[in-house]
Amino acid sequence: MNPAEPLYEALAAHLDRLGEAQAPLFLAKAALALAEALGDGDRALDILRECAKDL
Amino acid sequence: MRPHGRGEHDSLYFTYPHFDAPPPGLDRTSPVPVAIVGAGPVGMVAALELARHGQRSVLIEARDTFNDGSRAICLSRSSFQILDRIGALPPFLAKALPWTTGRSFFRGQQILEFTMPDSADERFRPMYNLQQQYIEQFLWQAIQAQPLIETRWQTRLTGIDAGAGGAVLHLTDPAGAYDLPARWVLAADGARSSIRQAMGLRLKGENFEGRYVIADIRLKHDYPTIRRALFDPACRPGGTVLIHRQPDDIWRIDYQLRDGESADEATREENVRAGVQGVLDEIGESGDWQLEWWSVYSANTLALDEYRHGPVFFIGDSAHIVPIFGVRGLNNGMADAQNIGWKLALVLSGHAGEGVLDSYTPERRGATLDVFANASKSARFMTPPSFGTRLMRDAALSLALRFPWAGELANPRQMAPYTYADSPLTLVGEPGPGPVPGALIPDTNLGDLFLTQKMGPDFTLLTLGPAPKVSHPLLTTLSLPALWGAPEGSAFLIRPDLHVAARWTSADARVILSTLTAMLERP
C-alpha cells in the first residue's frame, strides 16, 4: 500500500465530515501544523511553493 | 448497442453462431446431478470443472447465441491457470493480448506508469485482453469436446422450487414447458439472475454515482497493449477515460458521463461517435475508425449475504457485482465456478461429505469483500462520490505532476488472488517461508515444466526432499529438492484449485493423511 494512502483517506473523511464551507480553514490549519511538525522550515516552504503550482 | 442498421449480433469482426433449441425428442425431465443456469463464461467454466472431475451437468441458457458485445475484456493470470486446469487454454493463449503495464495521465501529462508483478517464474502474464465473445467461443469449443456436458439453448427458467434434497427447475423452450429435477443447481445467470429473483433474494451494497459509456471501435493502430487512464482530459473536463487494446484492431474506450448527462442521451449513436472522436483527438489518433458496439455502465459493489441457499449456489454476477476498475468481475466469477465445481464433484463422486460445500460462501464471499475493499478505493478515485473524496482526488492528481509518490494514488490496484485464511478447509500452520495456508501457490519455472503444470488433478502433496509414503485416491505426490526458501522436509497440501490447504515444516505421513481425510469427510 502507498504510505500516503491512509493520510489521503483520512483527509477525505475529515473534509466530508466538515463540509465545503469549513474546508479551507481546516486545510490551512492542517498544512501549518504539519509543516511545523516537519521540523524543517525551508523544506516546508519549498513544498508549499510546489503545491501552489498546477492549480 | 450497435450502429443504426446493424442487428444486436451484427459485429464488424465476429460471427455469432446460432444454437438450436433442444430437439423435440430429447429426454427433458430425467433428474440431473447438476443444473447450471446460464451458459456465459462463468457457467461454462463451472461445467468444465465438473467434467474435469468426471461429473455430468446440464447447462441451461435462454439465448440462442453468445452474449453480444465485448463486455468483460481482461483475464487475469489466475484465470489463465483456471483455463489451463479445465483444458481450455490453447485458443486463449493464441488470441489474447498479454499486458503488464498501465499509464495514467492528468490533463495530458503522464503521472504514473505501473508494472504488474511478472517474472520468468510465471507461466502466464499478469493480464490478458480478450473480448468476451471470444472467451465464450473458446470455452464453448472445450464444452463441445466434452460428452459429460449437455447444453440446452433457448431454454428459459420460469421458476424454481428448492428443498433440502434438491431443486426442481421450471423451464420452457420452443417445444413447451417442463420440470427438471436437479440435485444441485448453480445459478450463473448474471446480474439480473432469474433464480435470485425467483427465490426472493436481493443483492446488498453500494451504488457509485459515476456512469461510463463503454464503446468498442475498430481502428488500425500500433500502440502497445498498455492500459491508459486519462484524468481530466480536455475532451472530458473533470471526467475520466480508460483505453484498452483488444485483438482484431479493436479498442475499448470507456468515458465518464458528465454530471447531469442522461444515459439515454449519452448512448445515442451520434453522441457516442462524438465522445469517441473526442478521446481519439486527445490521444492523437487521426485514422479512420468504425463504431462496433457500445453500452453504459455504473459502478456498484453489491453482493448476496449468503452464496448458498440449500441446493442452489450463486456464482459470478448472480452473487456479486463489482466495479470494472481493477478487472475483477469475470475473474472473480471464474474463481467462483472453479471453487464450487471441484467441491461439488467430490461430493457427487462420494469422495467428500456435503460439509465441504459449507466452505463455498466463506471463501468466495470473502474474496468478494476483498474485491470490494480494493475496487471501492479504485472507484472512489475514478468517480469520487463526495466533496472530500473529489477534493483529495484532484489534489493527488495535481501533486502527481511534481511528486511521483502522489501518482501512485492513481494506481488502479489490479486484482490479486484471495487467500482463504478463514476457510473451514484451511489448516492454519506454523509461520514460515512459502505460501501461507489458503493462498494460491506462486508458480515456479522448474526447467522442464512450471510448477502448476505438475499439480495432480485433485489434491497434490508437495514435499521438499524425500516424500513420505501417503496413499489416498485423490492425492498426487510431488517431491522437489527445494522451493520458496522453505526448509527441507517441508510439506504443502495443495487443493484442486491450487490453493494451499495446509503446510508443515516436517512431513509426517499420518498427520498429512488425517488432515486430508478430515477435510473431505465433513458431514
Side-chain angles (χ1 to χ4, degrees), chain B residues 305-352:
Chain B
D305 288 334
E306 172 64 55
Y307 288 3
R308 177 186 179 180
H309 290 265
V312 180
F313 293 85
F314 290 85
I315 61 177
D317 285 355
S318 70
H320 46 72
I321 298 173
V322 303
I324 53 172
F325 319 117
V327 300
R328 298 163 173 93
L330 176 57
N331 293 300
N332 215 28
M334 288 172 66
D336 292 348
Q338 182 194 40
N339 188 294
I340 193 58
W342 70 262
K343 291 171 184 173
L344 262 188
L346 295 190
V347 169
L348 286 164
S349 66
H351 284 108

Side-chain angles (χ1 to χ4, degrees), chain B residues 234-355:
Chain B
C235 63
R236 289 267 143 191
T240 310
V241 173
L242 295 170
I243 305 169
H244 276 280
R245 180 184 179 188
Q246 304 172 60
D248 298 338
D249 286 323
I250 300 296
W251 284 25
R252 160 69 67 78
I253 295 174
D254 302 14
Y255 58 83
Q256 191 176 357
L257 272 61
R258 299 181 182 90
D259 288 344
E261 190 175 4
S262 80
D264 286 346
E265 193 65 20
T267 51
R268 283 173 52 188
E269 183 176 341
E270 62 268 32
N271 292 336
V272 174
R273 289 185 182 277
V276 167
Q277 188 60 57
V279 174
L280 296 178
D281 292 344
E282 178 92 19
I283 59 175
E285 286 289 347
S286 55
D288 292 336
W289 57 276
Q290 294 164 285
L291 186 57
E292 158 70 358
W293 171 88
W294 70 91
S295 184
V296 68
Y297 166 84
S298 62
N300 300 303
T301 50
L302 302 168
L304 289 171
D305 288 334
E306 172 64 55
Y307 288 3
R308 177 186 179 180
H309 290 265
V312 180
F313 293 85
F314 290 85
I315 61 177
D317 285 355
S318 70
H320 46 72
I321 298 173
V322 303
I324 53 172
F325 319 117
V327 300
R328 298 163 173 93
L330 176 57
N331 293 300
N332 215 28
M334 288 172 66
D336 292 348
Q338 182 194 40
N339 188 294
I340 193 58
W342 70 262
K343 291 171 184 173
L344 262 188
L346 295 190
V347 169
L348 286 164
S349 66
H351 284 108
E354 289 187 14

